[in-house]
Amino acid sequence: MTRPKLRILVVGGPMYDGLYSSIQEFERQEGAQVEITRSDNHPDLNQRIHDSFSGGQGFDLISTHSKFVPAQTQWLSPLDHDFSSAELAHFNPTTLELARINGTLWSVPRNLDAKLLHYRTDLVSGPPTTWDELLRLGQTLTREGQYGFVFPGYSSGIFGHFFELCGSAGHYLYDQDPPVPHADTEAGRWALEMLGAWKTISPPESVDFEFDRVAAFFGSGRAAMTTDWPGSFNGYQASEIGGRFALALYPLGPARRATYSGSHTFALSRTAADRPLAVALLKFLTSRESQLLEARRGTLPARLDALEQARLEAEPFEARRWELLKEATQYSWIPPKHPDYPAVEAIVWQNVHAFLKGQKSAPEALRAIDTLGAAAARGRAG
């Protein structure tokens, strides 16, 4: 009997696309067909998840993220009975904790994201150790056509920088339940001031950049420094700056080091047409072999066995990168788990973005985050 075709929805981009070509091997092994729908970024992915499932269509399997799953559980299937304790023992415990909500496993980790500072070795003799040092260094390196720093000024990218800058000033932005933001603080004011200063050492168009455009700009050789996720590493190696960049831990803020972090995951629909086949695909996509494939492309895998093999294969530069990523996870700054969280994050980034565009003053942006964010955190977003 012919098995139903699996329909899956995945996030795309240079960091993620390499894995999906391997699905052809799964199709061959299982005698199955997999129809892949790809979203270019997470905002588009989240909207498609909402629209498809709300409209009664849905998918059998989706890629998602630990911070978004709490808002999606009405469409997803718990997974505790599909994975044995022996299977889950291969995963980094931190990623499994991120994938659980009130003890229930709702998705399976794909990676653990931890950001590092990237800098050009032909322009920077040694990495700055504080954000103030980075700003001063960036000012000396900025000239016509060349910038000291490039950063994402839009969507999740600018949210992440504001969130982690608040953290590096010693302030966790949210209450946990519900996730009411508290941005109008000394730390929030310092974070916005720093972001405003970054504008002076970054390309003017970066206020509308998302992650991929930042990576392309830095890889083109037009910026001396940036911050980025592990998955961009191989792209940089093959870019104009290959052999001319190095990595370092994040700079320190006034209080500590903090880096925006989380975990991409895969999850199953409650309405999967062939649930055993969908579970088999989920296990294929999160297998040692699949995560090793992604690790060889730069991603920090959720599976410890895949990470160990990648480290064994690493050349000295790559081995140093793995050590830095291991250390960077100690400074992870992770958003709260809550079904209303995505609406709150949207309010944060939209108001920080408005500040960077000159559409709101710093006090206006911070007050709006707190006022509108409090309503959204309690399910009253308009």
Side-chain angles (χ1 to χ4, degrees), residues 227-345:
T227 66
D228 211 338
W229 308 104
S232 295
F233 180 69
N234 274 22
Y236 290 142
Q237 290 278 65
S239 74
E240 292 291 325
I241 62 169
R244 295 187 290 127
F245 75 97
L247 309 168
L249 292 175
Y250 250 45
L252 289 158
R256 54 162 291 153
R257 179 178 283 118
T259 174
Y260 174 38
S261 187
S263 175
H264 284 264
T265 66
F266 289 105
L268 291 190
S269 164
R270 291 182 183 268
T271 57
D274 186 334
R275 196 172 190 283
L277 184 62
V279 169
L281 178 57
L282 176 59
K283 292 189 177 186
F284 177 87
L285 291 171
T286 57
S287 66
R288 176 184 180 276
E289 293 74 19
S290 291
Q291 294 209 354
L292 180 57
L293 172 67
E294 294 207 281
R296 287 170 176 158
R297 295 173 178 268
T299 296
L300 179 58
R303 289 184 67 111
L304 299 174
D305 51 359
L307 175 59
E308 180 59 27
Q309 182 60 38
R311 293 179 66 175
L312 289 173
E313 297 174 359
E315 298 295 332
F317 180 39
E318 294 176 350
R320 173 59 179 157
R321 186 180 80 98
W322 291 124
E323 290 301 317
L324 285 169
L325 286 170
K326 180 181 179 181
E327 187 173 355
T329 60
Q330 300 176 35
Y331 307 108
S332 293
W333 213 243
I334 297 171
K337 298 179 185 179
H338 194 277
D340 292 322
Y341 171 76
V344 180
E345 180 178 301

Side-chain angles (χ1 to χ4, degrees), residues 42-373:
H42 251 293
D44 178 63
L45 176 72
N46 290 342
Q47 191 62 51
R48 287 192 186 206
I49 291 170
H50 178 273
D51 292 347
S52 296
F53 284 99
S54 297
Q57 298 298 315
F59 292 85
D60 299 294
L61 179 149
I62 62 170
S63 69
T64 182
H65 193 282
S66 57
K67 67 179 181 178
F68 295 129
V69 170
Q72 299 166 346
T73 54
Q74 69 267 37
W75 303 308
L76 304 181
S77 176
L79 298 168
D80 289 286
H81 297 300
D82 300 296
F83 286 79
S84 68
S85 57
E87 288 174 313
L88 294 177
H90 293 294
F91 290 85
N92 183 321
T94 298
T95 64
L96 288 177
E97 175 56 30
L98 288 172
R100 292 188 183 279
I101 303 171
N102 297 324
T104 298
L105 185 69
W106 286 97
S107 60
V108 179
R110 178 177 185 173
N111 65 14
L112 178 60
D113 267 338
K115 293 163 75 179
L116 294 173
L117 178 68
H118 295 53
Y119 65 96
R120 290 268 300 280
T121 53
D122 55 336
L123 298 174
V124 178
S125 58
T129 59
T130 69
W131 288 118
D132 286 335
E133 287 179 18
L134 181 144
L135 178 60
R136 290 194 296 270
L137 177 60
Q139 289 167 340
T140 68
L141 294 170
T142 298
R143 56 186 183 275
E144 185 176 355
Q146 181 74 49
Y147 297 92
F149 189 59
V150 59
F151 69 101
Y154 190 79
S155 193
S156 182
I158 193 56
F159 159 76
H161 272 309
F162 180 71
F163 179 56
E164 62 196 5
L165 285 172
C166 285
S168 71
H171 174 57
Y172 188 78
L173 183 60
Y174 300 105
D175 294 338
Q176 287 286 345
D177 188 11
V180 175
H182 302 284
D184 195 4
T185 63
E186 183 177 350
R189 290 185 285 274
W190 177 83
L192 275 195
E193 180 181 334
M194 182 59 68
L195 291 171
W198 286 0
K199 276 186 60 179
T200 66
I201 59 172
S202 301
E205 62 269 31
S206 67
V207 295
D208 293 314
F209 279 5
E210 295 186 66
F211 292 119
D212 289 350
R213 291 184 68 187
V214 170
F217 195 94
F218 183 66
S220 73
R222 289 176 287 168
M225 296 176 287
T226 192
T227 66
D228 211 338
W229 308 104
S232 295
F233 180 69
N234 274 22
Y236 290 142
Q237 290 278 65
S239 74
E240 292 291 325
I241 62 169
R244 295 187 290 127
F245 75 97
L247 309 168
L249 292 175
Y250 250 45
L252 289 158
R256 54 162 291 153
R257 179 178 283 118
T259 174
Y260 174 38
S261 187
S263 175
H264 284 264
T265 66
F266 289 105
L268 291 190
S269 164
R270 291 182 183 268
T271 57
D274 186 334
R275 196 172 190 283
L277 184 62
V279 169
L281 178 57
L282 176 59
K283 292 189 177 186
F284 177 87
L285 291 171
T286 57
S287 66
R288 176 184 180 276
E289 293 74 19
S290 291
Q291 294 209 354
L292 180 57
L293 172 67
E294 294 207 281
R296 287 170 176 158
R297 295 173 178 268
T299 296
L300 179 58
R303 289 184 67 111
L304 299 174
D305 51 359
L307 175 59
E308 180 59 27
Q309 182 60 38
R311 293 179 66 175
L312 289 173
E313 297 174 359
E315 298 295 332
F317 180 39
E318 294 176 350
R320 173 59 179 157
R321 186 180 80 98
W322 291 124
E323 290 301 317
L324 285 169
L325 286 170
K326 180 181 179 181
E327 187 173 355
T329 60
Q330 300 176 35
Y331 307 108
S332 293
W333 213 243
I334 297 171
K337 298 179 185 179
H338 194 277
D340 292 322
Y341 171 76
V344 180
E345 180 178 301
I347 287 166
V348 175
W349 81 254
Q350 288 164 5
N351 281 280
V352 175
H353 178 69
F355 164 73
L356 290 177
K357 297 278 281 189
Q359 297 164 351
K360 288 187 177 181
S361 68
E364 288 171 337
L366 295 172
R367 285 196 299 268
I369 289 170
D370 287 358
T371 302
L372 299 175

